[in-house]
């Protein structure tokens, strides 16, 4: 008896749930029009390999994906999508250049000195479970040096690319003074540290300050909104609306589909989704800073904001519809 | 203690202590027994001699000392000297030498022999000298906390700056980071290592980089399914440690077993040295095996052991002897405490102080009892196994066990609770009516000779292995050809890749699934099909217990009486698909016993031993179990007082089994009728099952028993008429007399878990002893025709059948007991 037959018999007699032959693939939503793979979805539990693109080598598929994303192949397994945005870039209703006009201490966090830049950072992962088994397959952000915006997204196309990805993560952190994230303190950074550790590195974080927008957003709007998620915040504060956005929860499946079957449509949408996320981080920084200064103009919870600032050691004076604070 | 060669050589001399004591009970004016505990033993023997089946004497043993090794940190030596420890015991010095030489080690010495110094000294030394880190694993949180207290005390006395912390489910989230970064010694349990530490090993990077020692205490608890899981967790631990460049040394401690080195090597997957020559001194120790008197000779019913235990404890306390009574359930702790309090209520003498101590009490309540015991404010404590280990309760004189605790190792651990320096200690094991208790009190050699209990594990059991391969792959990718345990697991990993859980790239398998596999794996069970038992008494809806899938059909059918801590609950509704049983507390004077049509078919024979007339073999079997109904059986009298129907799906599994058969021609020679042989096989199976469970330290429900045809054409049960009868798989009757030439009744003892957990393989090696033990069990039973304690609770007697089921069982066992097997 082969292993899988033995195991099925044992699982049955132990009363265990019987796994279908290929659960992950079956759960994937159709990624490509049926004309491209006429057999898919009809002959039921076909094992995965038969659905792979038979003609293309991994290198070729990677090259095709790079072309579609206008990306560079940094090393086999790792692509970089890099794009300079003009200084006048507008995200939703926010001009990102307004970042230049922010006060010294935005949202209770000192601004970066002119020598270091801002880094609006986000990741896409193979899951939310945490621990050593969760992989970061897309890392990147928007870098702002006080003048120009540069978007950089590093995408794993093979697991062999991970050491190089970690190098890029480290480099990006070194080049920044203030990192801005949404829930990055509890999710993205622990995960990146874990991935780095597994490559026997440790991330350079000593010099880096980290502004996690989730916390100021909560102080200002937890009492006002049904939830405080990034997409809620960007819609309400930046008037940014996504079109045909891939839900974040489908990102892991899109990556799996690429790895197993070589189909890239889902992965391209993840890259687009991630681009919107990091632009929203920049837009939200501006919008939240406004709300902190003028809570009443932005329907923010002034009391919540005052509590947060005081907790962080600021003295807060309340003027007409405006807060003024000093460390 | 049984393993101690000093004791054995003393006993193999010309003074058979046991016989001497029985032949010549020392009188009250015997000056040798001025010791109060021994005087009590003498009095018990004078008054109740016929209830005492044996008096086992372990002579006092002087200490054997050894100097502190010269390399040991002088601050530790000074701290011990300050405590009044001028030298080490020989076994401690021996253990230190092994650890210093870099060897893995298992220390097998009795309770109260100072075994924790065997690991604490070298570990504290290593931490101080080289910044080494250590991981301690205990089976329970309470033991872990005691150990940290002990470490901190030693650390303080020696003025060292070693930081020892517990890390378990109770560790607050904000303290965890400090434990990970600053802990030199982390004291945890296997479950926490499995779910909380290994899947987050990167957070523990510094700890793993420095990990030099892994200490595993109470090793004997890691056997069977739990042990098989723990062995896999330790494989994962070694794998993760190796990633950080660490190859820790293992120090294990165990109660007395027949195979401590084998179990230790199975758990850690490496060679292990043993230290088993105890150098700690001990006073003289007497153990009385006590069988309550027969009150109904026809039915073989004995007086309850509760009343006997109460009486003995009362006598001990009246003599001014500090006493501990161990009961096997929380309920029994309460019952005995009440009995004792009532008894002293009636006494005119100054009131004795009786305390109860068990799990479920609040921690500060327990601490108060512990303090009162140390401070001599309590005369007698009634406890569950919660007091068996660790917890410091000062010195006691008498230990009474109300019923056999389930293992001989556990019996000695409890008895070890009594004993003061320079004085004798008395233990009394009061047998219950359970067949195993009855067997043990009639066979004192189990307590007196070399240990017979084997701790067994099967880390490569396929279901268990697959679960841990998922966890291990989550922790670190697997290289192609990498070993897990001793074997390559490429085939298993390829299967997981096929399932979409792993992804193979180049020569590595990577975890590729959005889940946290450790959360789906409980170390205490084999699979995830467990049933929840939900108490709906007074609309409560509380989860009372969890029952393994394989046991559910036999215990949770509608109408079943389900016992929790001896409290009966009746199953009102069973949701088979939802895996829930709804029960309500009840008061009934019967228990229920499912009628079990278990039908086994031999699929493959791995090994056979035969002398021509009979054979014993092991192999793979297919099991089909149907549970058509149940009997209501009255307590004590074992009468059937009713029946109920059960309709549940059939249960099928492949598992491993041991079986015995006798040549059909020889059966026909020795039995007038085949039905008589069938009864003989059923009775023999009952006795073989008991003895095999004892030897393999298996819970009796983990080792199944069945009698049937070797070809799977029929199986035997005890019917409603209390007679053995045979049925075909479809339930129709099979008449053995009409069975033609081929009548091959077979006794099966099988692993009651899908795929088996390795119980049957070692049983084949012990088959000769098991048959001999079963023959003794039946032969020595004082009943005339067979009773619940020997051939089982149900076979009708000679008057009904025209022959003796006991004699038939003995004949079967004699035919099975061929010398060729041993
Ligand atoms: Zn009997």
């Amino acid at each position: 008896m082969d292993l899988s037959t033995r195991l099925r018999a044992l699982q049955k007699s132990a009363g265990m749930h019987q796994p279908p032959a290929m659960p992950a693939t079956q759960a994937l939503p159709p990624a490509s029009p049926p004309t491209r793979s006429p057999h898919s979805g009809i002959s039921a539990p076909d094992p995965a390999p038969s659905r792979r693109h038979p003609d293309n080598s991994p290198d070729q598929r990677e090259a095709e994906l790079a072309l579609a994303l206008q990306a560079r192949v940094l090393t086999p397994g790792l692509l970089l999508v890099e794009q300079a945005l003009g200084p006048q870039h507008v995200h939703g209703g926010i001009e990102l250049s307004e970042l230049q006009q922010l006060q010294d201490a935005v949202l209770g966090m000192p601004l970066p000195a002119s020598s270091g830049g801002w880094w609006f950072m986000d990741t896409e992962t193979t899951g939310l479970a945490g621990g050593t088994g969760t992989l970061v397959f897309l890392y990147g952000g928007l870098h702002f040096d006080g003048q120009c915006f540069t978007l950089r997204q590093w995408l794993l196309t093979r697991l062999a690319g991970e050491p190089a990805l970690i190098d890029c993560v480290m480099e990006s952190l070194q080049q920044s003074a203030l990192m801005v994230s949404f829930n990055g303190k509890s999710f993205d950074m622990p995960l990146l540290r874990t991935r780095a550790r597994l490559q026997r590195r440790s991330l350079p974080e000593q010099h880096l300050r980290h502004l996690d927008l989730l916390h100021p957003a909560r102080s200002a709007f937890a009492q006002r909104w049904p939830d405080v998620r990034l997409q809620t915040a960007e819609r309400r504060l930046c008037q940014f609306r996504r079109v045909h956005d891939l839900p974040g929860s489908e990102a892991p499946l899109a990556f799996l589909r690429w790895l197993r079957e070589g189909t890239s449509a889902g992965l391209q949408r993840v890259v687009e989704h991630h681009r919107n996320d990091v632009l929203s981080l920049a837009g939200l920084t501006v919008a939240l800073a406004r709300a902190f200064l003028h809570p009443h103009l932005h329907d923010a919870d002034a009391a919540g904001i005052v509590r947060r600032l005081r907790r962080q050691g600021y003295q807060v004076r309340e003027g007409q519809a405006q807060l003024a604070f000093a460390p | 203690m049984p393993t101690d060669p000093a004791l054995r050589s003393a006993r193999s001399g010309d003074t058979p202590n046991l016989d001497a004591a029985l032949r010549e009970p020392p009188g009250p004016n015997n000056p040798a027994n001025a010791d109060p505990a021994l005087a009590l033993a003498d009095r018990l023997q004078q008054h109740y001699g016929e209830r005492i089946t044996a008096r086992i004497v372990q002579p006092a043993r002087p200490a054997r000392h050894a100097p502190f090794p010269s390399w040991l940190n002088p601050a530790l030596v000074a701290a011990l000297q300050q405590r009044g420890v001028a030298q080490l015991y020989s076994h401690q010095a021996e253990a230190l030498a092994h650890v210093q030489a870099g060897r893995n080690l298992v220390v097998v010495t009795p309770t109260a022999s100072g075994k924790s110094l065997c690991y604490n000294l070298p570990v504290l030394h290593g931490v101080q000298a080289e910044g080494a880190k250590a991981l301690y694993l205990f089976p329970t949180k309470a033991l872990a906390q005691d150990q940290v207290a002990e470490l901190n005390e030693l650390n303080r006395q020696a003025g060292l700056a070693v930081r020892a912390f517990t890390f378990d489910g109770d560790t607050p989230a904000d303290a965890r980071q400090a434990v990970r970064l600053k802990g030199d010694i982390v004291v945890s349990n296997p479950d926490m290592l499995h779910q909380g530490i290994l899947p987050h090993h990167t957070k523990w990077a510094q700890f793993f980089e420095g990990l030099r020692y892994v200490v595993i205490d109470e090793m004997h608890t890691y056997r069977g399914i739990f042990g098989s899981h723990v062995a896999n967790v330790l494989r994962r631990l070694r794998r993760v440690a190796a990633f950080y460049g660490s190859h820790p040394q293992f120090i294990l401690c165990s109660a007395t077993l027949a195979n401590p080195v084998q179990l230790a090597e199975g758990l850690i997957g490496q060679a292990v040295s043993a230290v088993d020559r105890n150098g700690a001194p001990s006073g003289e120790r007497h153990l009385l095996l006590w069988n309550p008197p027969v009150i109904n000779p026809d039915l073989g019913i004995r007086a309850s052991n509760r009343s006997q235990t109460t009486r003995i404890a009362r006598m001990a306390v009246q003599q001014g002897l500090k006493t501990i009574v161990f009961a096997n359930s929380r309920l029994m702790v309460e019952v005995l405490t009440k009995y004792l309090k009532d008894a002293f209520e009636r006494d005119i003498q100054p009131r004795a102080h009786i305390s109860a101590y068990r799990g479920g009490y609040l921690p500060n309540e327990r601490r108060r009892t512990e303090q009162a015991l140390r401070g001599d404010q309590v005369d007698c404590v009634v406890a569950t196994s919660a007091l068996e280990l660790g917890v410091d309760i000062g010195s006691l004189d008498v230990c009474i066990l109300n019923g056999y605790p389930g293992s001989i190792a556990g019996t000695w651990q409890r008895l070890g609770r009594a004993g003061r320096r320079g004085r004798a200690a008395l233990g009394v094991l009061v047998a219950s009516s359970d067949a195993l208790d009855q067997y043990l009190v009639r066979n004192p050699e189990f307590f007196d000779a070399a240990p017979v209990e084997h701790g067994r594990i099967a880390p490569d059991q396929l279901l268990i292995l697959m679960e841990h391969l998922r966890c291990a792959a989550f922790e670190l990718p697997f290289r192609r050809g990498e070993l897990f345990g001793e074997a390559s697991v490429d085939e298993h990993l390829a299967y997981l890749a096929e399932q979409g859980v792993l992804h193979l790239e180049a020569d590595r398998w990577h975890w590729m699934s959005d889940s946290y596999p450790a959360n789906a794996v409980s170390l205490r069970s084999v699979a995830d099909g467990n049933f929840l038992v939900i108490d709906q008494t007074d609309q409560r809806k509380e989860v009372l217990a969890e029952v393994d899938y394989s046991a559910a059909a036999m215990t949770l059918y509608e109408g079943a009486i389900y016992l929790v801590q001896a409290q009966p609950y009746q199953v009102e509704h069973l949701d088979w698909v939802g895996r829930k049983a709804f029960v309500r507390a009840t008061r009934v004077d019967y228990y229920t016993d499912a009628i079990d049509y278990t039908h086994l078919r031999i699929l493959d024979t791995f090994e056979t031993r035969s002398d021509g007339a009979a054979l014993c073999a092991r192999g793979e079997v297919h099991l089909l179990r149907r549970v058509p109904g149940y009997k209501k059986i009255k307590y004590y009298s074992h009468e059937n007082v009713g029946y109920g129907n059960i309709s549940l799906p059939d249960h099928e599994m492949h598992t491993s089994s041991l079986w015995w058969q006798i040549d059909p021609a020889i059966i026909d020679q020795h039995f007038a009728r085949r039905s008589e042989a069938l009864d003989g096989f059923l009775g023999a199976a009952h006795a073989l099952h008991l003895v095999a469970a004892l030897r393999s330290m298996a819970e009796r429900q983990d080792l199944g028993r069945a009698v049937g045809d070797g070809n799977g054409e029929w199986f035997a049960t005890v019917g409603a008429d209390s007679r053995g009868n045979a049925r075909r798989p479809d339930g129709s009757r099979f008449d053995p007399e009409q069975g033609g030439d081929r009548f091959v009744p077979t006794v099966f003892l099988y692993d009651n878990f899908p795929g088996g957990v390795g119980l049957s393989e070692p049983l084949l090696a012990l088959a000769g002893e098991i048959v001999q033990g079963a023959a003794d069990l039946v032969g020595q039973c004082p009943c005339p025709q067979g009773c619940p304690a020997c051939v089982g609770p149900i076979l009708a007697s000679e008057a009904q059948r025209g022959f003796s089921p006991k004699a038939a069982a003995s004949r079967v066992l004699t035919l099975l007991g061929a010398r060729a097997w041993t």
Side-chain angles (χ1 to χ4, degrees), chain B residues 609-627:
Chain B
R609 299 183 187 195
S610 169
D611 73 337
L615 71 78
C616 180
R618 70 177 180 90
E620 195 177 346
V621 295
H622 174 264
L623 175 147
L624 180 117
R625 176 179 295 143
R626 183 168 300 151
V627 187

Side-chain angles (χ1 to χ4, degrees), chain B residues 18 74 83 114 179 191 255 260 271-272 279 345 391 436 507-508 543 587 682 715 722 759 773 778 797 805:
Chain B
L18 172 64
R83 285 183 180 187
V179 176
D191 312 78
V272 170
E345 209 52 33
V391 187
L436 194 50
D507 64 341
R508 274 166 195 264
V543 175
R587 286 164 156 243
L682 285 164
F715 61 95
S722 291
L759 290 175
V778 175
S797 72

Side-chain angles (χ1 to χ4, degrees), chain B residues 442 778 781-783 786-791 806:
Chain B
R442 285 201 294 269
V778 175
C781 188
C783 68
C787 75
C790 56
V791 297
K806 185 177 181 182

